[in-house]
Amino acid sequence: MGMRGRNGIMALVAECLDQPSGTERPVTMLVGPRGSGASEAHGAIMGRFGVDHPFAYLNFAAGQALLPRYALALIARQLERKLPQYRVSRFPRLTLGLLASDRELRMTTRAEGRRAVARQLDEFRQQAESRYGDYLAAFLEVAGSALGAPNGAPAVVATILRDAARGGGRRLPGQRFAGAPQWFADHPLVPSRDPWDALLELNMWRHNGTEQEKRNLDRVLFAAFLDDLRHDTARWFAPGSHLLLLDNCHTDHGRLFLELLIGARRDAALAGTPCDPLTVVGSSNRWLDNWGSSSGDQWPWRLRSPDRASLADWRERRPSHDSDDSWWYPLRLRDLTLDEVRTGIELASPRHSGLAPFVYRLTRGLPVAVRQVMDALDLSNAPRRGGEEFDLWLRSLPGHRVRGTPHATLADAALDHLLEDFSAAQRDALVRCAAARDLAMGSRVLGAVTPGGAGEPLFNEVRSRLLLESDRAEPRLHPWLRRLLLWRLAADRGEWDAVHELLSDHFEAEGRWVEALYHRLAAHRVDEVVAHLTDRFRERSATEWIALVNAVTSAPNRLPSDRPSLALLGDLAPEEPAQSITDTSVIRGLVCARWLWSDPLGDPGLRLNSVIAAKYDRLSEMRGSDIVALYDEAERYRRWRHPLSAPDEG
């Protein structure tokens, strides 16, 4: 499900892998909220390219401290996998750098250390090979949990990944390490020009150095890794490119790894060294600190849709080489379109294909939400489709238990996933703020501030985790997240009414009547809303009045979920005798019907379409002039066709 609509990512990876040696390639970042399909994208990339190309995968959210040296060792270990069409890749510089900085070298004087370093390193190597088969395999014990196939990876790729990490491997080539020590002596960050003294310097940096010296060690190791790749692709029968997949790079160690990788590329470019042959695809469900403020106004990049991804697009937009920003290529993982949701459901659960519009309206196409809703629809206690009983069951869908989380409802499980790492106080504040369409306005009016820390507004925390709708003038929560938060808010009637009253009063004081009416309707002040809209019925043009009705009736509701939509409508707007029908009674019926209809949980089967159409027909008869828009609106609901969503253009 998560890979539907991600073909642009696959095309970009294929394009990068096909480039000749020395071609500059971006560090492509798949950016989106939790559940936007990044891990599935990694799995699909493995399935497409992993059989024929050397590749490595790391998950930086594996629950352990994945230090840069550990990450490099695990990557090299995976890239050494034997492929029938290629020579085995080798990493002599990286391996020697890791070995030289691993265990503290024993010496009484520096001069003695220079004479003894080769002997001691050879002893370390032999001990590792005796215990693990090769030196890099030792890192599996301290960092192996960062391996493993992501969601969506085919079984064959998962097997390849496991075998690449645990089987095979290469011994270091000879006691003199194939001339690799001289590379460290030639590196500009290493002060000594003597090869063995340079290795001793690395060891001292690791065990007795300052923070800056330890950082320099990481920089040298990254440079060694990339230089190994350059030399490897220059050999006969060697792969022209290697694929590196980095999942959950928003963690501290993930950000550090990316910073070091991009820094090594920048240093090489400034020195005139050809680019390394590494195709990198990372993912993050947060805005990275390296990119500055989460508003993005200080960063030269703008997030692009995967549908438009290409090397040409990256080259056209990238900043100059003397900037770290030159190497990024951020892609915003978009939600699935209605057609993509429909196709995914038809493939995964054909018997539910007719529910695609409901699932899309409810989730707005967030991949994880679509999957969670489908899991709930597959519950054994679900009624048979097609009747009022099924619609009633759908009305309380967020409150149903789901597979995999038997002690949590769909709403609880989904919120726990989306709001991972949010504190209880932050979640409570977010539940209140969800009452407002504009999260910034809700935060300001309702006084929601992140507890603890420096008092940073909750709004910034939500924005940095990409939980806002993209490309909106006003900052709105993702519709699925807001729906879940409103479901939780609705459990407390007093709190629900209080926050909507506060927002209504605020907007009324500012003279913003549309927003004020929106919150009055949410607070169940139906009579006031109907009176206002009735007064405007003949004052405004029909087109303007319809837009006003649509804006106001998109308000959320906490109407009982144990009653069908038609019964609720009967309570809210009972039918008047024919001789008693007035503008007010018809408008009340329209307002209440569309209020229910606009909520996917209020009218899952869209049974109120005919009711809304009939109300517009009646209003067109009562108005007398300027009636074409009213007739058109009636016809639109009578012959309702779900608007097709489209991929993002930006």
PDB file of all heavy atoms in Angstrom, residues 488-518:
ATOM      1  N   ARG A 488     -11.142  11.658  20.243  1.00  0.00           N
ATOM      2  CA  ARG A 488     -10.786  11.610  21.661  1.00  0.00           C
ATOM      3  C   ARG A 488     -11.402  12.797  22.409  1.00  0.00           C
ATOM      4  O   ARG A 488     -11.876  12.662  23.543  1.00  0.00           O
ATOM      5  CB  ARG A 488      -9.268  11.594  21.812  1.00  0.00           C
ATOM      6  CG  ARG A 488      -8.796  11.460  23.237  1.00  0.00           C
ATOM      7  CD  ARG A 488      -7.344  11.047  23.308  1.00  0.00           C
ATOM      8  NE  ARG A 488      -7.166   9.646  22.935  1.00  0.00           N
ATOM      9  CZ  ARG A 488      -5.988   9.024  22.912  1.00  0.00           C
ATOM     10  NH1 ARG A 488      -4.893   9.683  23.228  1.00  0.00           N
ATOM     11  NH2 ARG A 488      -5.915   7.759  22.568  1.00  0.00           N
ATOM     12  N   LEU A 489     -11.388  13.978  21.794  1.00  0.00           N
ATOM     13  CA  LEU A 489     -11.981  15.154  22.431  1.00  0.00           C
ATOM     14  C   LEU A 489     -13.482  14.955  22.650  1.00  0.00           C
ATOM     15  O   LEU A 489     -14.039  15.372  23.672  1.00  0.00           O
ATOM     16  CB  LEU A 489     -11.740  16.392  21.571  1.00  0.00           C
ATOM     17  CG  LEU A 489     -12.311  17.721  22.075  1.00  0.00           C
ATOM     18  CD1 LEU A 489     -11.682  18.108  23.407  1.00  0.00           C
ATOM     19  CD2 LEU A 489     -12.103  18.820  21.034  1.00  0.00           C
ATOM     20  N   ALA A 490     -14.137  14.280  21.714  1.00  0.00           N
ATOM     21  CA  ALA A 490     -15.585  14.081  21.806  1.00  0.00           C
ATOM     22  C   ALA A 490     -15.984  13.211  22.983  1.00  0.00           C
ATOM     23  O   ALA A 490     -17.152  13.216  23.392  1.00  0.00           O
ATOM     24  CB  ALA A 490     -16.102  13.467  20.503  1.00  0.00           C
ATOM     25  N   ALA A 491     -15.033  12.476  23.538  1.00  0.00           N
ATOM     26  CA  ALA A 491     -15.343  11.630  24.694  1.00  0.00           C
ATOM     27  C   ALA A 491     -15.649  12.460  25.933  1.00  0.00           C
ATOM     28  O   ALA A 491     -16.222  11.951  26.902  1.00  0.00           O
ATOM     29  CB  ALA A 491     -14.177  10.675  24.970  1.00  0.00           C
ATOM     30  N   ASP A 492     -15.286  13.741  25.928  1.00  0.00           N
ATOM     31  CA  ASP A 492     -15.533  14.629  27.062  1.00  0.00           C
ATOM     32  C   ASP A 492     -16.402  15.784  26.573  1.00  0.00           C
ATOM     33  O   ASP A 492     -15.897  16.762  26.009  1.00  0.00           O
ATOM     34  CB  ASP A 492     -14.202  15.148  27.617  1.00  0.00           C
ATOM     35  CG  ASP A 492     -14.364  15.963  28.890  1.00  0.00           C
ATOM     36  OD1 ASP A 492     -15.454  16.527  29.100  1.00  0.00           O
ATOM     37  OD2 ASP A 492     -13.389  16.045  29.670  1.00  0.00           O
ATOM     38  N   ARG A 493     -17.689  15.665  26.764  1.00  0.00           N
ATOM     39  CA  ARG A 493     -18.611  16.669  26.228  1.00  0.00           C
ATOM     40  C   ARG A 493     -18.313  18.062  26.770  1.00  0.00           C
ATOM     41  O   ARG A 493     -18.346  19.049  26.027  1.00  0.00           O
ATOM     42  CB  ARG A 493     -20.056  16.284  26.548  1.00  0.00           C
ATOM     43  CG  ARG A 493     -21.057  17.321  26.080  1.00  0.00           C
ATOM     44  CD  ARG A 493     -22.485  16.887  26.266  1.00  0.00           C
ATOM     45  NE  ARG A 493     -23.400  17.917  25.783  1.00  0.00           N
ATOM     46  CZ  ARG A 493     -24.715  17.774  25.718  1.00  0.00           C
ATOM     47  NH1 ARG A 493     -25.271  16.637  26.140  1.00  0.00           N
ATOM     48  NH2 ARG A 493     -25.473  18.743  25.266  1.00  0.00           N
ATOM     49  N   GLY A 494     -18.024  18.141  28.062  1.00  0.00           N
ATOM     50  CA  GLY A 494     -17.741  19.447  28.643  1.00  0.00           C
ATOM     51  C   GLY A 494     -16.531  20.103  28.007  1.00  0.00           C
ATOM     52  O   GLY A 494     -16.550  21.308  27.702  1.00  0.00           O
ATOM     53  N   GLU A 495     -15.474  19.339  27.790  1.00  0.00           N
ATOM     54  CA  GLU A 495     -14.269  19.884  27.170  1.00  0.00           C
ATOM     55  C   GLU A 495     -14.537  20.265  25.725  1.00  0.00           C
ATOM     56  O   GLU A 495     -14.080  21.307  25.242  1.00  0.00           O
ATOM     57  CB  GLU A 495     -13.141  18.848  27.251  1.00  0.00           C
ATOM     58  CG  GLU A 495     -11.791  19.348  26.792  1.00  0.00           C
ATOM     59  CD  GLU A 495     -11.122  20.275  27.795  1.00  0.00           C
ATOM     60  OE1 GLU A 495     -11.750  20.633  28.815  1.00  0.00           O
ATOM     61  OE2 GLU A 495      -9.961  20.655  27.550  1.00  0.00           O
ATOM     62  N   TRP A 496     -15.280  19.415  25.014  1.00  0.00           N
ATOM     63  CA  TRP A 496     -15.617  19.703  23.608  1.00  0.00           C
ATOM     64  C   TRP A 496     -16.348  21.049  23.500  1.00  0.00           C
ATOM     65  O   TRP A 496     -15.964  21.917  22.705  1.00  0.00           O
ATOM     66  CB  TRP A 496     -16.492  18.565  23.062  1.00  0.00           C
ATOM     67  CG  TRP A 496     -17.029  18.789  21.686  1.00  0.00           C
ATOM     68  CD1 TRP A 496     -18.086  19.583  21.318  1.00  0.00           C
ATOM     69  CD2 TRP A 496     -16.539  18.208  20.468  1.00  0.00           C
ATOM     70  NE1 TRP A 496     -18.286  19.531  19.970  1.00  0.00           N
ATOM     71  CE2 TRP A 496     -17.352  18.693  19.412  1.00  0.00           C
ATOM     72  CE3 TRP A 496     -15.518  17.323  20.163  1.00  0.00           C
ATOM     73  CZ2 TRP A 496     -17.161  18.321  18.083  1.00  0.00           C
ATOM     74  CZ3 TRP A 496     -15.329  16.947  18.831  1.00  0.00           C
ATOM     75  CH2 TRP A 496     -16.129  17.442  17.820  1.00  0.00           C
ATOM     76  N   ASP A 497     -17.385  21.200  24.276  1.00  0.00           N
ATOM     77  CA  ASP A 497     -18.156  22.443  24.203  1.00  0.00           C
ATOM     78  C   ASP A 497     -17.317  23.643  24.625  1.00  0.00           C
ATOM     79  O   ASP A 497     -17.410  24.724  24.017  1.00  0.00           O
ATOM     80  CB  ASP A 497     -19.397  22.343  25.090  1.00  0.00           C
ATOM     81  CG  ASP A 497     -20.439  21.377  24.530  1.00  0.00           C
ATOM     82  OD1 ASP A 497     -20.354  21.055  23.335  1.00  0.00           O
ATOM     83  OD2 ASP A 497     -21.316  20.937  25.301  1.00  0.00           O
ATOM     84  N   ALA A 498     -16.477  23.467  25.640  1.00  0.00           N
ATOM     85  CA  ALA A 498     -15.687  24.592  26.156  1.00  0.00           C
ATOM     86  C   ALA A 498     -14.721  25.127  25.106  1.00  0.00           C
ATOM     87  O   ALA A 498     -14.624  26.345  24.887  1.00  0.00           O
ATOM     88  CB  ALA A 498     -14.934  24.160  27.410  1.00  0.00           C
ATOM     89  N   VAL A 499     -13.988  24.245  24.439  1.00  0.00           N
ATOM     90  CA  VAL A 499     -12.986  24.726  23.476  1.00  0.00           C
ATOM     91  C   VAL A 499     -13.664  25.337  22.256  1.00  0.00           C
ATOM     92  O   VAL A 499     -13.184  26.354  21.714  1.00  0.00           O
ATOM     93  CB  VAL A 499     -12.015  23.601  23.066  1.00  0.00           C
ATOM     94  CG1 VAL A 499     -11.177  23.158  24.250  1.00  0.00           C
ATOM     95  CG2 VAL A 499     -12.734  22.416  22.436  1.00  0.00           C
ATOM     96  N   HIS A 500     -14.786  24.780  21.814  1.00  0.00           N
ATOM     97  CA  HIS A 500     -15.469  25.366  20.654  1.00  0.00           C
ATOM     98  C   HIS A 500     -16.107  26.701  21.010  1.00  0.00           C
ATOM     99  O   HIS A 500     -16.151  27.622  20.167  1.00  0.00           O
ATOM    100  CB  HIS A 500     -16.498  24.383  20.094  1.00  0.00           C
ATOM    101  CG  HIS A 500     -15.885  23.277  19.284  1.00  0.00           C
ATOM    102  ND1 HIS A 500     -15.280  23.493  18.072  1.00  0.00           N
ATOM    103  CD2 HIS A 500     -15.772  21.940  19.530  1.00  0.00           C
ATOM    104  CE1 HIS A 500     -14.821  22.342  17.585  1.00  0.00           C
ATOM    105  NE2 HIS A 500     -15.099  21.389  18.459  1.00  0.00           N
ATOM    106  N   GLU A 501     -16.589  26.838  22.236  1.00  0.00           N
ATOM    107  CA  GLU A 501     -17.127  28.134  22.662  1.00  0.00           C
ATOM    108  C   GLU A 501     -16.022  29.186  22.713  1.00  0.00           C
ATOM    109  O   GLU A 501     -16.220  30.337  22.291  1.00  0.00           O
ATOM    110  CB  GLU A 501     -17.797  27.992  24.037  1.00  0.00           C
ATOM    111  CG  GLU A 501     -19.055  27.138  24.061  1.00  0.00           C
ATOM    112  CD  GLU A 501     -20.248  27.793  23.391  1.00  0.00           C
ATOM    113  OE1 GLU A 501     -20.137  28.963  22.950  1.00  0.00           O
ATOM    114  OE2 GLU A 501     -21.299  27.141  23.292  1.00  0.00           O
ATOM    115  N   LEU A 502     -14.860  28.807  23.233  1.00  0.00           N
ATOM    116  CA  LEU A 502     -13.737  29.745  23.274  1.00  0.00           C
ATOM    117  C   LEU A 502     -13.352  30.202  21.871  1.00  0.00           C
ATOM    118  O   LEU A 502     -13.118  31.390  21.624  1.00  0.00           O
ATOM    119  CB  LEU A 502     -12.538  29.090  23.960  1.00  0.00           C
ATOM    120  CG  LEU A 502     -12.547  29.002  25.480  1.00  0.00           C
ATOM    121  CD1 LEU A 502     -11.396  28.134  25.979  1.00  0.00           C
ATOM    122  CD2 LEU A 502     -12.444  30.400  26.088  1.00  0.00           C
ATOM    123  N   LEU A 503     -13.268  29.265  20.953  1.00  0.00           N
ATOM    124  CA  LEU A 503     -12.890  29.609  19.587  1.00  0.00           C
ATOM    125  C   LEU A 503     -13.976  30.439  18.915  1.00  0.00           C
ATOM    126  O   LEU A 503     -13.673  31.402  18.189  1.00  0.00           O
ATOM    127  CB  LEU A 503     -12.620  28.330  18.797  1.00  0.00           C
ATOM    128  CG  LEU A 503     -11.344  27.576  19.204  1.00  0.00           C
ATOM    129  CD1 LEU A 503     -11.349  26.157  18.655  1.00  0.00           C
ATOM    130  CD2 LEU A 503     -10.097  28.321  18.710  1.00  0.00           C
ATOM    131  N   SER A 504     -15.235  30.103  19.147  1.00  0.00           N
ATOM    132  CA  SER A 504     -16.328  30.881  18.561  1.00  0.00           C
ATOM    133  C   SER A 504     -16.292  32.325  19.057  1.00  0.00           C
ATOM    134  O   SER A 504     -16.418  33.272  18.269  1.00  0.00           O
ATOM    135  CB  SER A 504     -17.667  30.233  18.910  1.00  0.00           C
ATOM    136  OG  SER A 504     -18.739  31.027  18.450  1.00  0.00           O
ATOM    137  N   ASP A 505     -16.111  32.501  20.356  1.00  0.00           N
ATOM    138  CA  ASP A 505     -16.059  33.859  20.916  1.00  0.00           C
ATOM    139  C   ASP A 505     -14.878  34.638  20.351  1.00  0.00           C
ATOM    140  O   ASP A 505     -14.993  35.837  20.053  1.00  0.00           O
ATOM    141  CB  ASP A 505     -15.952  33.785  22.439  1.00  0.00           C
ATOM    142  CG  ASP A 505     -17.225  33.255  23.094  1.00  0.00           C
ATOM    143  OD1 ASP A 505     -18.260  33.202  22.401  1.00  0.00           O
ATOM    144  OD2 ASP A 505     -17.164  32.877  24.278  1.00  0.00           O
ATOM    145  N   HIS A 506     -13.744  33.972  20.189  1.00  0.00           N
ATOM    146  CA  HIS A 506     -12.558  34.652  19.654  1.00  0.00           C
ATOM    147  C   HIS A 506     -12.810  35.141  18.232  1.00  0.00           C
ATOM    148  O   HIS A 506     -12.527  36.306  17.904  1.00  0.00           O
ATOM    149  CB  HIS A 506     -11.361  33.693  19.671  1.00  0.00           C
ATOM    150  CG  HIS A 506     -10.155  34.231  18.958  1.00  0.00           C
ATOM    151  ND1 HIS A 506      -9.270  35.101  19.557  1.00  0.00           N
ATOM    152  CD2 HIS A 506      -9.702  34.032  17.689  1.00  0.00           C
ATOM    153  CE1 HIS A 506      -8.317  35.413  18.693  1.00  0.00           C
ATOM    154  NE2 HIS A 506      -8.553  34.775  17.560  1.00  0.00           N
ATOM    155  N   PHE A 507     -13.356  34.287  17.384  1.00  0.00           N
ATOM    156  CA  PHE A 507     -13.571  34.677  15.995  1.00  0.00           C
ATOM    157  C   PHE A 507     -14.676  35.722  15.878  1.00  0.00           C
ATOM    158  O   PHE A 507     -14.603  36.618  15.023  1.00  0.00           O
ATOM    159  CB  PHE A 507     -13.914  33.446  15.153  1.00  0.00           C
ATOM    160  CG  PHE A 507     -12.727  32.554  14.889  1.00  0.00           C
ATOM    161  CD1 PHE A 507     -12.729  31.219  15.295  1.00  0.00           C
ATOM    162  CD2 PHE A 507     -11.604  33.040  14.246  1.00  0.00           C
ATOM    163  CE1 PHE A 507     -11.647  30.397  15.054  1.00  0.00           C
ATOM    164  CE2 PHE A 507     -10.503  32.230  13.993  1.00  0.00           C
ATOM    165  CZ  PHE A 507     -10.527  30.903  14.402  1.00  0.00           C
ATOM    166  N   GLU A 508     -15.681  35.629  16.730  1.00  0.00           N
ATOM    167  CA  GLU A 508     -16.731  36.653  16.709  1.00  0.00           C
ATOM    168  C   GLU A 508     -16.156  38.017  17.073  1.00  0.00           C
ATOM    169  O   GLU A 508     -16.488  39.028  16.443  1.00  0.00           O
ATOM    170  CB  GLU A 508     -17.847  36.267  17.677  1.00  0.00           C
ATOM    171  CG  GLU A 508     -18.997  37.275  17.699  1.00  0.00           C
ATOM    172  CD  GLU A 508     -20.095  36.880  18.670  1.00  0.00           C
ATOM    173  OE1 GLU A 508     -20.011  35.788  19.269  1.00  0.00           O
ATOM    174  OE2 GLU A 508     -21.039  37.676  18.831  1.00  0.00           O
ATOM    175  N   ALA A 509     -15.259  38.031  18.064  1.00  0.00           N
ATOM    176  CA  ALA A 509     -14.642  39.297  18.461  1.00  0.00           C
ATOM    177  C   ALA A 509     -13.802  39.883  17.334  1.00  0.00           C
ATOM    178  O   ALA A 509     -13.668  41.110  17.219  1.00  0.00           O
ATOM    179  CB  ALA A 509     -13.781  39.089  19.705  1.00  0.00           C
ATOM    180  N   GLU A 510     -13.261  39.041  16.493  1.00  0.00           N
ATOM    181  CA  GLU A 510     -12.448  39.512  15.369  1.00  0.00           C
ATOM    182  C   GLU A 510     -13.294  39.784  14.125  1.00  0.00           C
ATOM    183  O   GLU A 510     -12.765  40.177  13.086  1.00  0.00           O
ATOM    184  CB  GLU A 510     -11.375  38.483  15.026  1.00  0.00           C
ATOM    185  CG  GLU A 510     -10.270  38.368  16.070  1.00  0.00           C
ATOM    186  CD  GLU A 510      -9.080  37.561  15.571  1.00  0.00           C
ATOM    187  OE1 GLU A 510      -9.220  36.846  14.544  1.00  0.00           O
ATOM    188  OE2 GLU A 510      -8.011  37.664  16.176  1.00  0.00           O
ATOM    189  N   GLY A 511     -14.600  39.559  14.221  1.00  0.00           N
ATOM    190  CA  GLY A 511     -15.470  39.780  13.078  1.00  0.00           C
ATOM    191  C   GLY A 511     -15.357  38.720  11.997  1.00  0.00           C
ATOM    192  O   GLY A 511     -15.769  38.946  10.851  1.00  0.00           O
ATOM    193  N   ARG A 512     -14.851  37.557  12.348  1.00  0.00           N
ATOM    194  CA  ARG A 512     -14.693  36.465  11.381  1.00  0.00           C
ATOM    195  C   ARG A 512     -15.869  35.506  11.560  1.00  0.00           C
ATOM    196  O   ARG A 512     -15.791  34.492  12.247  1.00  0.00           O
ATOM    197  CB  ARG A 512     -13.345  35.771  11.583  1.00  0.00           C
ATOM    198  CG  ARG A 512     -12.167  36.711  11.357  1.00  0.00           C
ATOM    199  CD  ARG A 512     -10.843  36.135  11.817  1.00  0.00           C
ATOM    200  NE  ARG A 512     -10.490  34.895  11.132  1.00  0.00           N
ATOM    201  CZ  ARG A 512      -9.341  34.243  11.333  1.00  0.00           C
ATOM    202  NH1 ARG A 512      -8.451  34.726  12.198  1.00  0.00           N
ATOM    203  NH2 ARG A 512      -9.098  33.132  10.680  1.00  0.00           N
ATOM    204  N   TRP A 513     -16.987  35.851  10.898  1.00  0.00           N
ATOM    205  CA  TRP A 513     -18.248  35.177  11.174  1.00  0.00           C
ATOM    206  C   TRP A 513     -18.293  33.750  10.641  1.00  0.00           C
ATOM    207  O   TRP A 513     -18.972  32.899  11.223  1.00  0.00           O
ATOM    208  CB  TRP A 513     -19.412  36.002  10.622  1.00  0.00           C
ATOM    209  CG  TRP A 513     -19.768  37.103  11.557  1.00  0.00           C
ATOM    210  CD1 TRP A 513     -19.433  38.421  11.465  1.00  0.00           C
ATOM    211  CD2 TRP A 513     -20.500  36.959  12.770  1.00  0.00           C
ATOM    212  NE1 TRP A 513     -19.906  39.121  12.537  1.00  0.00           N
ATOM    213  CE2 TRP A 513     -20.580  38.245  13.371  1.00  0.00           C
ATOM    214  CE3 TRP A 513     -21.099  35.888  13.431  1.00  0.00           C
ATOM    215  CZ2 TRP A 513     -21.232  38.474  14.566  1.00  0.00           C
ATOM    216  CZ3 TRP A 513     -21.748  36.115  14.624  1.00  0.00           C
ATOM    217  CH2 TRP A 513     -21.817  37.395  15.180  1.00  0.00           C
ATOM    218  N   VAL A 514     -17.615  33.478   9.563  1.00  0.00           N
ATOM    219  CA  VAL A 514     -17.638  32.104   9.037  1.00  0.00           C
ATOM    220  C   VAL A 514     -17.017  31.149  10.051  1.00  0.00           C
ATOM    221  O   VAL A 514     -17.587  30.093  10.384  1.00  0.00           O
ATOM    222  CB  VAL A 514     -16.893  32.024   7.696  1.00  0.00           C
ATOM    223  CG1 VAL A 514     -16.823  30.571   7.208  1.00  0.00           C
ATOM    224  CG2 VAL A 514     -17.578  32.889   6.643  1.00  0.00           C
ATOM    225  N   GLU A 515     -15.842  31.523  10.585  1.00  0.00           N
ATOM    226  CA  GLU A 515     -15.185  30.677  11.579  1.00  0.00           C
ATOM    227  C   GLU A 515     -15.997  30.596  12.868  1.00  0.00           C
ATOM    228  O   GLU A 515     -16.077  29.537  13.507  1.00  0.00           O
ATOM    229  CB  GLU A 515     -13.780  31.211  11.879  1.00  0.00           C
ATOM    230  CG  GLU A 515     -12.790  31.040  10.737  1.00  0.00           C
ATOM    231  CD  GLU A 515     -12.792  32.237   9.797  1.00  0.00           C
ATOM    232  OE1 GLU A 515     -13.761  33.037   9.852  1.00  0.00           O
ATOM    233  OE2 GLU A 515     -11.846  32.370   9.002  1.00  0.00           O
ATOM    234  N   ALA A 516     -16.597  31.726  13.249  1.00  0.00           N
ATOM    235  CA  ALA A 516     -17.410  31.718  14.471  1.00  0.00           C
ATOM    236  C   ALA A 516     -18.597  30.772  14.326  1.00  0.00           C
ATOM    237  O   ALA A 516     -18.909  29.989  15.246  1.00  0.00           O
ATOM    238  CB  ALA A 516     -17.889  33.135  14.788  1.00  0.00           C
ATOM    239  N   LEU A 517     -19.267  30.799  13.174  1.00  0.00           N
ATOM    240  CA  LEU A 517     -20.403  29.908  12.953  1.00  0.00           C
ATOM    241  C   LEU A 517     -19.959  28.449  12.890  1.00  0.00           C
ATOM    242  O   LEU A 517     -20.679  27.548  13.344  1.00  0.00           O
ATOM    243  CB  LEU A 517     -21.120  30.288  11.658  1.00  0.00           C
ATOM    244  CG  LEU A 517     -21.879  31.630  11.672  1.00  0.00           C
ATOM    245  CD1 LEU A 517     -22.343  31.989  10.266  1.00  0.00           C
ATOM    246  CD2 LEU A 517     -23.069  31.560  12.630  1.00  0.00           C
ATOM    247  N   TYR A 518     -18.799  28.215  12.317  1.00  0.00           N
ATOM    248  CA  TYR A 518     -18.228  26.858  12.252  1.00  0.00           C
ATOM    249  C   TYR A 518     -18.147  26.258  13.656  1.00  0.00           C
ATOM    250  O   TYR A 518     -18.570  25.113  13.894  1.00  0.00           O
ATOM    251  CB  TYR A 518     -16.849  26.963  11.597  1.00  0.00           C
ATOM    252  CG  TYR A 518     -16.005  25.718  11.582  1.00  0.00           C
ATOM    253  CD1 TYR A 518     -16.021  24.851  10.491  1.00  0.00           C
ATOM    254  CD2 TYR A 518     -15.136  25.422  12.638  1.00  0.00           C
ATOM    255  CE1 TYR A 518     -15.215  23.722  10.456  1.00  0.00           C
ATOM    256  CE2 TYR A 518     -14.329  24.296  12.613  1.00  0.00           C
ATOM    257  CZ  TYR A 518     -14.368  23.450  11.523  1.00  0.00           C
ATOM    258  OH  TYR A 518     -13.565  22.335  11.498  1.00  0.00           O
TER     259      TYR A 518
END
